[in-house]
């Protein structure tokens, strides 16, 4: 992608840390989150610049890709440091998935994993490092684990919903139809970090696991520990609505299959109005007011746009488009307990 679309004026970085015996780096990212990490645990390190650079007009084979550099020692790093990959330099592991930036403007980014864990990378000195006009060789950073790959059943509030067709509920994930289902998150995919009034932070969480009874959607309140409010589930090859060939979109049901919630957008700043009925956000604003307004809206007064890919819905009138799913765009208004 980078080679075909150009990356002449940028640089790629990877997070590295101390990999000496007994460290999170030596364990690997997956094993540390599964066996050692607790909520709030940190890993100190830095993002190191990769050697790869785009050559305008040149498209090269994957053997020349930047991905191979993660097997090498980071250039300029202390002795014994390595890139913090899923399972070391020579083994495959779980994939890191979506990222979501700090909605309050901090130099932080949230990142998820298909193993079911997620956390925040903080690189607060980046602005100073860029002030010289060049890309720095390294950017000091700290990773904070918000959720390890661990049992989340006791942290989920169902609100009286989330019953599966086999009698289990959405505190577990039967991604292969198993009973009991998995106690951890599975294949966290799309996430969106949401700022709300009172300094509260929330995370929209969408799994993409192949849950046979319905893919789960949550709204998480950030804290130690986290709280996960169950919002919805959709699709699944053993979902009773799917087996009954029911679809929200008329005439497109093909066969029971997985669905996937993907993406969320906070509309609260775009809809916020002043006392006189005028919109608070000015057209073409470049001051960052949108984020500031979002952060002053209580979570239960927000309007969030969510997309849904329904991989059972590719029949009927959709066939002329050769889709893999007929999707929906939904408006979600949270109703979570507040103090």
């Amino acid at each position: 992608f980078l080679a075909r679309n150009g990356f002449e004026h940028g640089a790629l970085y990877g997070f590295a840390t101390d990999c000496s015996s007994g460290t999170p780096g030596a364990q690997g990212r997956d094993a540390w989150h599964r066996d050692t990490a607790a909520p709030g645990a940190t890993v100190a390190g830095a993002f190191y610049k990769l050697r790869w650079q785009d050559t305008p007009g040149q498209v090269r084979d994957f053997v020349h890709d930047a991905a191979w550099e993660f097997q090498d020692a980071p250039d300029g790093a202390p002795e014994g440091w390595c890139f913090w990959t899923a399972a070391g330099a020579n083994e495959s592991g779980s994939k890191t998935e979506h990222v979501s930036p700090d909605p309050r403007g901090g130099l932080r980014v949230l990142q998820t994993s298909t193993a079911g864990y997620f956390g925040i990378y903080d690189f607060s000195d980046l602005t100073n490092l860029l002030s010289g006009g060049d890309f720095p060789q390294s950017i000091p950073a700290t990773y904070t684990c918000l959720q390890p790959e661990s049992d989340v059943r006791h942290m989920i509030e169902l609100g009286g919903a989330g019953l599966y067709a086999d009698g289990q509920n959405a505190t577990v994930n039967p991604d292969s139809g198993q009973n009991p289902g998995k106690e951890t998150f599975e294949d966290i995919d799309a996430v969106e970090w949401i700022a709300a009034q009172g300094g509260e932070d929330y995370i929209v969480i969408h799994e993409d696991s192949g849950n046979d009874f319905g893919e789960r959607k949550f709204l998480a309140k950030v804290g130690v520990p986290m709280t996960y409010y169950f919002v919805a589930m959709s699709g699944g090859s053993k979902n009773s609505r799917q087996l009954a060939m029911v679809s929200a979109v008329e005439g497109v049901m093909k066969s029971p299959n997985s669905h996937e919630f993907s993406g969320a957008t906070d509309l609260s700043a775009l809809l916020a109005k002043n006392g006189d009925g005028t919109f608070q956000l000015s057209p073409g604003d470049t001051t960052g007011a949108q984020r500031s307004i979002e952060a002053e809206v209580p979570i239960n007064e927000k309007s969030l746009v969510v997309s849904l890919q329904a991989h059972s819905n590719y029949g009927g009138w959709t066939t002329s488009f050769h889709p893999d799913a007929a999707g929906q765009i939904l408006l979600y208004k949270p109703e979570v307990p507040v103090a």
Side-chain angles (χ1 to χ4, degrees), residues 10-326:
L12 295 177
Y13 289 78
F15 183 76
T17 186
D18 182 7
C19 294
S20 57
S21 179
T23 64
Q27 276 188 279
R29 195 177 59 237
D30 287 353
W32 182 77
H33 280 93
R34 182 184 64 245
D35 302 330
T36 303
T42 61
V43 177
F47 285 94
Y48 281 86
K49 188 166 65 173
L50 304 183
R51 298 183 298 273
W52 185 92
Q53 187 69 41
D54 174 61
T55 302
Q58 184 182 79
V59 179
R60 307 181 74 187
D61 189 272
F62 182 70
V63 297
H64 302 285
D65 191 83
W68 298 107
E69 294 187 40
F70 286 88
Q71 293 183 302
D72 302 334
D75 286 352
E79 183 72 23
W81 279 41
C82 68
F83 286 113
W84 201 33
T85 59
N90 300 305
E91 300 292 335
S92 62
S94 296
K95 181 175 64 171
T96 49
E97 277 280 1
H98 289 235
V99 295
S100 184
D102 183 349
R104 302 180 190 279
L107 294 171
R108 302 188 296 166
V109 64
L110 171 74
Q111 185 167 51
T112 67
S113 167
T114 58
Y117 58 79
F118 57 89
I120 293 172
Y121 289 94
D122 186 318
F123 37 93
S124 56
D125 199 36
L126 178 60
T127 301
N128 292 332
L129 292 171
L130 292 174
S131 62
D134 295 322
F135 289 108
Q137 182 59 34
S138 64
I139 303 166
T142 300
Y143 173 79
T144 301
C145 174
L146 294 182
Q147 177 61 55
E149 184 186 356
S150 60
D151 189 344
V152 295
R153 292 174 299 170
H154 62 291
M155 304 161 73
I156 293 175
E157 296 194 14
L158 293 174
L163 181 64
Y164 292 144
D166 71 342
Q168 298 186 88
N169 62 42
T171 59
V172 296
N173 186 331
D175 62 344
S176 298
Q178 69 270 43
N179 188 341
K182 291 183 178 178
E183 302 169 352
T184 65
F185 284 122
E186 185 70 14
D187 291 308
I188 295 177
D189 193 347
V191 292
E192 185 68 17
W193 188 350
I194 304 290
Q197 190 180 70
E200 294 183 338
D201 289 293
Y202 292 82
I203 300 171
V204 177
I205 295 176
H206 297 152
E207 289 179 305
D208 182 18
S209 64
N211 188 324
D212 285 348
F213 297 101
E215 209 67 84
R216 301 184 296 180
K217 169 184 174 64
F218 296 93
L219 180 65
K221 185 175 183 181
V222 176
V224 179
M226 302 282 290
T227 302
Y228 301 104
Y229 299 106
F230 175 73
V231 176
M233 62 187 185
S234 186
S237 60
K238 297 182 180 180
N239 182 302
S240 56
R241 288 174 58 85
Q242 291 281 287
L243 294 173
M245 302 297 283
V246 175
S247 169
V249 180
E250 184 178 1
V252 301
M253 183 68 179
K254 182 76 170 180
S255 62
N257 207 338
S258 296
H259 290 187
E260 177 190 352
F261 293 100
S262 58
T265 303
D266 187 353
L267 296 184
S268 56
L270 302 179
L271 301 175
K273 292 186 177 181
N274 299 304
D276 61 3
T278 60
F279 286 102
Q280 291 185 26
L281 187 64
S282 301
D285 180 83
T286 59
T287 67
Q290 178 175 344
R291 288 298 204 181
S292 299
I293 296 171
E294 289 172 356
E296 292 304 316
V297 177
I299 188 63
N300 287 342
E301 295 180 20
K302 287 184 176 291
S303 295
L304 307 177
V305 168
V306 177
S307 62
L308 174 64
Q309 304 171 47
H311 296 287
S312 57
N313 297 359
Y314 63 102
W317 56 264
T318 72
T319 56
S320 61
F321 298 100
H322 303 288
D324 66 351

